[in-house]
Amino acid sequence: MRYSQTIGIRTYTFSNLRDLLAKASPARSGDFLAGVAAASHEERMAARFCLAEVPLARFLQEPVIPYEEDEVTRLIVDGHDARAFREIGSLTVGGFRDWLLGDGADSEALARIAPGVTPEMAAAVSKLMRNQDLILAARKCRVVTRFRTTIGLPGRLSARLQPNHPTDDPQGIAASILDGLLYGSGDAVIGINPAGDSLPTIVTLLTMVDELRRRFDIPTQSCVLTHATNTIRAIEQGAPVDLVFQSIAETEKANAGFGIDLTLLREAWDAGRSLRRGTVGNNVMYFETGQGSALSADAHHGVDQQTCEARAYAVARRFEPLLVNTVVGFIGPEYLYDGKQIIRAGLEDHFCGKLLGLPMGCDVCYTNHAEADQDDMDTLLTLLGVAGVAFVMGVPGADDIMLNYQSTSYHDLHYVSSVLGLRRAPEFEAWLERMEIVDERGRLRAPSPGQPLLAHVRTLAEGA
């Protein structure tokens, strides 16, 4: 179906819904690289005016990638909840924006409609929203998940403690973990990106973190961010696996580039849940996504990268994850050129994920060849904190020495929590108080030799 919009004396025509979504998207380098972006600001505004009049029901009739060609499309179509959709089914995209920003769209209403919202609907409405709209609507979405800690409660901000090491040295990783714990980081997950995919190394790291967790009775979960097939093999060997990690994408072809499909993800999900290692819940999956992954694999089918990214959330939603985060600036300036584009993308991804019912976090990050700096990341971190992001990254010094990119540090987490009055997951914060790392108000204490955690580490070191 063709779409058209007249501005002044000029009529702009869009060949199909896929083309209309791409032309309405805010400018970003990846869409220009793919050849799908609007050619001018005027064309972009024409597309937005046109998109605002499209009924939400149209997205159920015109998939942006054909049903027969793509298993992610089939997942979206076949899994759509018609009953949940009824509440918003009569709205246009513009009307949906107005509804989302109104007082009637509270947390309960947003939870009710989430199963009826498709990724393309979420992406479409985000293209009509200013940054403040994305923040306001996302803040009203409430998504809570559980394993050993409870993630996503109001007034809480969790952190992934990311103790990566360029050679997977256990002592170096342990030192980074201790550093993070003393800053109150790690309630989302202690998650290690291994330098290699050797199964013995992965099992060693899983065992090391689990022994540390059990020794100090830390209420958190661990994860080694290897391929799902490796995690399944580790489970078969009896390794102490808490969360199953996988990078996911938005099309069948892009997921094939990651070496996965929906069947494999189901196998990994079942394997993780079968262990029943959680104490307050059994959400066992951890997914990472990022705008540009489908384009980098030449698997985007002509769909703009932000709509593509939202489709990845349909994959995540199917497996009831504990954590999902967009690694927003990681792929590089070919896809998100500068700080402005990274900030916008982070807010879009967070909004779309939460609208679809996901526990959204964000790796607030950039590569060193992007036109961005840490001030841009401070801005995005603050905006996401206001928007109610579930978790962010805690990287020593904000500089990941294994992956070679810039993220957020333990200090950054302390900043945003202090400014916005945010607390950690309740189970983890109670442990921090017992360890005398925080006071009864959740504020960090100055490190002292008498702290139980430091005293125990010192005893171990002296014994060694």
Side-chain angles (χ1 to χ4, degrees), residues 344-405:
R344 173 70 190 190
L347 295 176
E348 289 170 344
D349 296 349
H350 177 249
F351 160 76
C352 288
K354 288 187 76 176
L355 183 61
L356 292 168
L358 290 176
M360 284 302 296
C362 183
D363 190 344
V364 179
C365 64
Y366 65 102
T367 58
N368 287 313
H369 62 307
E371 289 294 321
D373 58 28
Q374 209 64 38
D375 285 340
D376 296 313
M377 300 307 103
D378 288 348
T379 300
L380 178 53
L381 174 63
T382 306
L383 294 175
L384 286 170
V386 174
V389 70
F391 70 103
V392 293
M393 305 299 121
V395 178
D399 185 0
D400 193 303
I401 59 174
M402 195 282 283
L403 292 173
N404 291 312
Y405 78 115

Side-chain angles (χ1 to χ4, degrees), residues 38 112 132 141 173 241 252 255 315 333 345 370 406:
R112 281 197 310 271
Q132 67 173 250
C141 296
I173 290 171
V241 172
E252 181 177 349
N255 279 325
V315 177
Q406 308 304 309

Side-chain angles (χ1 to χ4, degrees), residues 395-459:
V395 178
D399 185 0
D400 193 303
I401 59 174
M402 195 282 283
L403 292 173
N404 291 312
Y405 78 115
Q406 308 304 309
S407 185
T408 46
S409 71
Y410 308 138
H411 305 75
D412 296 327
L413 294 165
H414 179 56
Y415 145 74
V416 74
S417 296
S418 298
V419 167
L420 299 176
L422 301 172
R423 306 286 288 263
R424 301 162 189 86
E427 303 87 351
F428 188 75
E429 189 161 275
W431 176 82
L432 291 173
E433 190 173 343
R434 290 198 305 273
M435 293 291 107
E436 300 177 13
I437 295 171
V438 303
D439 63 20
E440 67 281 359
R441 295 172 62 185
R443 299 176 303 184
L444 286 174
R445 294 178 182 270
S448 69
Q451 285 178 326
L453 186 60
L454 278 178
H456 193 80
V457 169
R458 187 174 66 253
T459 300

Side-chain angles (χ1 to χ4, degrees), residues 309-324:
E309 171 71 5
R311 285 170 53 90
Y313 303 151
V315 177
R317 180 166 63 174
R318 175 65 184 83
F319 301 102
E320 301 174 8
L322 179 76
L323 307 168
V324 180

Side-chain angles (χ1 to χ4, degrees), residues 116-144:
V117 179
T118 69
E120 292 84 357
M121 294 175 195
V125 74
S126 76
K127 296 176 194 298
L128 306 184
M129 300 172 93
R130 293 169 55 187
N131 287 358
Q132 67 173 250
D133 300 336
L134 298 172
I135 293 168
L136 173 61
R139 186 176 179 84
K140 295 193 290 183
C141 296
R142 185 65 55 210
V143 183
V144 179

Side-chain angles (χ1 to χ4, degrees), residues 271-307:
R273 288 195 302 171
S274 71
L275 300 178
R276 304 200 68 82
R277 289 171 56 85
T279 55
V280 297
N282 202 33
N283 297 113
V284 300
M285 301 301 286
Y286 175 17
F287 293 121
E288 285 189 344
T289 67
Q291 288 194 28
S293 57
L295 176 57
S296 65
D298 191 25
H300 59 100
H301 296 265
V303 179
D304 69 272
Q305 68 181 39
Q306 191 257 331
T307 302

